[in-house]
Amino acid sequence: AQTVTQSQPEMSVQEAETVTLSCTYDTSESDYYLFWYKQPPSRQMILVIRQEAYKQQNATENRFSVNFQKAAKSFSLKISDSQLGDAAMYFCAYKDQGGSEKLVFGKGTKLTVNP
Amino acid sequence: SQTIHQWPATLVQPVGSPLSLECTVEGTSNPNLYWYRQAAGRGLQLLFYSVGIGQISSEVPQNLSASRPQDRQFILSSKKLLLSDSGFYLCAWGSRGLYEQYFGPGTRLTVT
């Protein structure tokens, strides 16, 4: 079964600085998707960024970018120019391209942004 | 644009009482629908998903059931709640052309 591991339960960053959140996953599949979701205090899960495994180019969405290392099964999220509104729980998630409809989530990293 | 609604937002129920949580999606047809539960300090666990009306797949055998009476409506139920059913319940939708899922605002359930 696929598993997703986020080894950093908590991280902090100064406003305007850059922070990287780590995620590793385990799968025997070659085609899959990876996601980062943000859960602010309101607790609604918000999609931040997604990466298709077949793409070598790392995904970027404004201040958010990923470092996808397929061979290492690593998928880290970099947040540049951190803002107070970035404070939240961040969850890494995995999905097979076919078959299971399930998103497999890590346990999350709580990000604090200090002013 | 697509919108997903969940209600109620908060619910406190005694042990042994029934449960009905509702989720509806607007702005899309024939979505895949999902129920997740998030326990305190943990990630999300998929409970049920549905790819069409009346089609329900269960990921975790437990005290809960799900139904999809209409294309864009997904209901999570229980006949008798247990203390262990407490948690934050999230509904999500996805489509066959997308691999990501979009989440509703969630329901915080406390069983006392």
Side-chain angles (χ1 to χ4, degrees), chain A residues 94-105:
Chain A
Y94 165 99
K95 186 182 183 304
D96 284 340
Q97 183 182 28
S100 174
E101 287 291 318
K102 181 165 56 177
L103 277 179
V104 179
F105 285 85

Side-chain angles (χ1 to χ4, degrees), chain A residues 33 35 37 39 42-47 50 91 95-108, chain B residues 4 32 34 36 38-44 46 49 51 59 88 90 97-105 108:
Chain A
Y33 295 82
F35 309 91
Y37 282 87
Q39 188 178 41
S42 67
R43 300 198 71 179
Q44 182 162 5
M45 298 285 282
I46 302 166
L47 178 66
R50 81 170 195 173
F91 291 93
K95 186 182 183 304
D96 284 340
Q97 183 182 28
S100 174
E101 287 291 318
K102 181 165 56 177
L103 277 179
V104 179
F105 285 85
K107 292 188 177 181
Chain B
I4 180 167
N32 293 337
Y34 309 85
Y36 288 86
Q38 184 179 27
R42 305 186 70 174
L44 274 67
L46 180 64
Y49 70 89
V51 299
E59 286 290 314
F88 190 63
L90 286 152
L98 300 172
Y99 291 94
E100 61 265 31
Q101 296 172 15
Y102 296 95
F103 288 81
R108 182 187 301 275

Side-chain angles (χ1 to χ4, degrees), chain B residues 52-93:
Chain B
I53 295 174
Q55 301 179 61
I56 308 294
S57 296
S58 173
E59 286 290 314
V60 183
Q62 56 199 320
N63 185 41
L64 302 170
S65 62
S67 62
R68 184 170 178 173
Q70 300 181 42
D71 181 44
R72 290 171 287 178
Q73 182 185 31
F74 204 25
I75 296 172
L76 183 68
S77 303
S78 174
K79 292 182 179 179
K80 290 185 177 181
L81 283 168
L82 306 172
L83 286 174
S84 58
D85 292 324
S86 293
F88 190 63
Y89 289 82
L90 286 152
C91 181
W93 75 271

